[in-house]
Amino acid sequence: MTKQCYNLYPKIYNFTNLWSAFAKAAKGKRYRSPSVAEFEFNLEPELIQLEQELQAKIYQPGVYDNFVIKDPKRRVISSAPFRDRVVHHALMNIIEPLFERLFIHDSYANRVGKGTHKALDRCTYYLRRYRYVMHCDIQQYFPSIDHQVLRQALARTIGDEQVMALIDKILASGEGIQTEMYRMVYFAEDDLFAGQRLRGLPIGNLTSQHWANVYLNQFDHYVKRTLKCRAYIRYVDDFLLFADDKSTLHQWRAAIITFLADLRLTLHESRAQPRPVSTGVPFLGFTVFPDHRRLKRYNGYAFQRRFRQLVQAYHAGEISREQLEASLKGWINHVCYGDTWGLRRSILGQVRLLGTVSNG
């Protein structure tokens, strides 16, 4: 049984916590974002103002800046005002440790010491020990997250109603952002008002990333404890189950569909099919085999397009050489986790021909 935690709210608006939250929110953005620079210029008054608003319970989130990307599927990305991002970090500083101890080992997204590369390594580990794998993902995950279900999951651990009231304000600030991206799904026992349920988390929020893990934590434990799947990995709404026979995976698939419906979520059923591990499994931008990994073709093409845009921006004076190098090095560090020597050589050859990075 989950133990509820109380008397958390004063820790959130504690000035030292707000200062720490500012440092985290500003990391890597001080010289690139006017809103961060403006906030930092009046740092102490800004933090005192937030402290007073939170203490008096009059804090209200601002309006998101939303934009649409297609990478590869269409998504709405949201950016909260910087002062709100400070509040998000202040809240997460206090409540994230409470949930971290509840998560299973093999949940890898948005957690300290985890991440995509650890998830890929774990995938390889299981591919070498089991005969079959089933890759699953959830349809329209962030737009589908039901506020009532999420709030209940959070409240099982957070017993402080003032913290829950702050969470309610953050949830309300994102209402409607994902409406266009959600295609209505009706579940058993839904009434005529099911379409009016509040749902959707803004993609881009620190809180959304964490709460996406909280939302599926109950599911993780169901897979591990009830289905007794010993080899299971989840990264946000992408998850893998491993077994030595197809029939077990088919049984688990049926049980998963039923369980997710209780969370008001739907599985991409046509994609969730058992396959021999020797054929590889798509996961986190790679096709992973027991003895090697290949970058998905689309991701290679996408980066080359992105790289050409960065080069044009560099020559136009819109970004610095350091920014261009950082983007290139970050991509190379990621794809090094697959067998991508030919692709990296091609990209680096383009860099040398352009003379962009080495000669400035």
Side-chain angles (χ1 to χ4, degrees), residues 93-224:
N93 281 349
I94 303 307
I95 70 169
E96 187 171 6
L98 307 178
F99 290 95
E100 179 62 29
R101 67 193 185 197
L102 303 177
F103 294 153
I104 66 168
H105 175 79
D106 281 327
S107 168
Y108 287 90
N110 309 304
R111 296 177 64 192
V112 175
K114 300 290 185 176
T116 56
H117 300 152
K118 291 284 183 68
L120 287 166
D121 288 344
R122 191 66 160 171
C123 177
T124 298
Y125 174 84
Y126 285 138
L127 285 170
R128 292 173 177 175
R129 284 159 177 78
Y130 290 88
R131 295 176 58 201
Y132 296 97
V133 58
M134 182 169 66
H135 173 245
C136 305
D137 68 313
I138 295 170
Q139 296 188 45
Q140 44 187 10
Y141 180 51
F142 277 89
S144 296
I145 290 177
D146 187 275
H147 288 195
Q148 182 180 338
V149 175
L150 173 61
R151 196 184 189 283
Q152 290 170 349
L154 291 166
R156 280 194 287 269
T157 296
I158 301 171
D160 188 326
E161 284 303 320
Q162 295 176 89
V163 176
M164 291 305 303
L166 176 59
I167 288 171
D168 287 339
K169 287 182 179 180
I170 295 172
L171 283 172
S173 72
E175 285 178 15
I177 289 176
Q178 294 286 351
T179 300
E180 181 187 348
M181 307 303 296
Y182 181 73
R183 185 181 69 257
M184 184 62 199
V185 177
Y186 287 93
F187 296 92
E189 301 180 6
D190 272 354
D191 55 27
L192 295 176
F193 300 101
Q196 299 178 20
R197 294 178 70 99
L198 299 177
R199 59 177 67 83
L201 294 181
I203 299 174
N205 262 12
L206 174 70
T207 50
S208 298
Q209 296 168 6
H210 181 263
W211 294 343
N213 274 343
V214 173
Y215 200 88
L216 283 176
N217 184 50
Q218 183 181 357
F219 171 72
D220 292 340
H221 286 278
Y222 171 76
V223 172
K224 297 293 288 183

Side-chain angles (χ1 to χ4, degrees), residues 134-141 144 183 185 187 216 219 223 227 232-234 236-241 249-274:
M134 182 169 66
H135 173 245
C136 305
D137 68 313
I138 295 170
Q139 296 188 45
Q140 44 187 10
Y141 180 51
S144 296
R183 185 181 69 257
V185 177
F187 296 92
L216 283 176
F219 171 72
V223 172
L227 298 185
Y232 164 76
I233 303 169
R234 180 173 66 82
V236 193
D237 65 319
D238 263 4
F239 52 96
L240 304 174
L241 296 92
L249 289 171
H250 279 299
Q251 291 170 14
W252 287 346
R253 178 179 178 273
I256 284 169
I257 291 169
T258 301
F259 190 93
L260 289 176
D262 290 339
L263 297 177
R264 306 191 64 81
L265 299 174
T266 51
L267 194 71
H268 270 119
E269 295 187 26
S270 60
R271 301 179 189 174
Q273 302 295 335

Side-chain angles (χ1 to χ4, degrees), residues 24-73:
K24 291 180 179 180
K27 186 176 181 181
K29 302 179 180 69
R30 278 188 169 94
Y31 307 108
R32 290 186 292 165
S33 171
S35 63
V36 177
E38 183 181 355
F39 191 97
E40 186 171 20
F41 184 76
N42 298 294
L43 181 57
E44 191 167 339
E46 290 278 10
L47 293 181
I48 290 173
Q49 179 68 24
L50 275 179
E51 179 185 28
Q52 292 172 345
E53 289 181 19
L54 289 166
Q55 185 172 12
K57 305 178 190 66
I58 59 173
Y59 161 79
Q60 291 295 334
V63 178
Y64 288 91
D65 181 20
N66 303 304
F67 56 95
V68 176
I69 65 168
K70 299 177 181 179
D71 189 23
K73 60 184 179 182

Side-chain angles (χ1 to χ4, degrees), residues 116 119-121 123-125 127-128 133 135 238 240 242 275-300 334-340 343:
T116 56
L120 287 166
D121 288 344
C123 177
T124 298
Y125 174 84
L127 285 170
R128 292 173 177 175
V133 58
H135 173 245
D238 263 4
L240 304 174
F242 301 80
R275 64 173 71 193
V277 296
S278 59
T279 64
V281 61
F283 192 49
L284 303 180
F286 292 85
T287 301
V288 188
F289 297 85
D291 57 355
H292 67 286
R293 299 170 192 156
R294 293 176 183 165
L295 188 72
K296 286 187 177 178
R297 186 174 303 232
Y298 170 84
N299 291 340
H334 173 62
V335 300
C336 276
Y337 278 79
D339 297 281
T340 56
L343 178 61

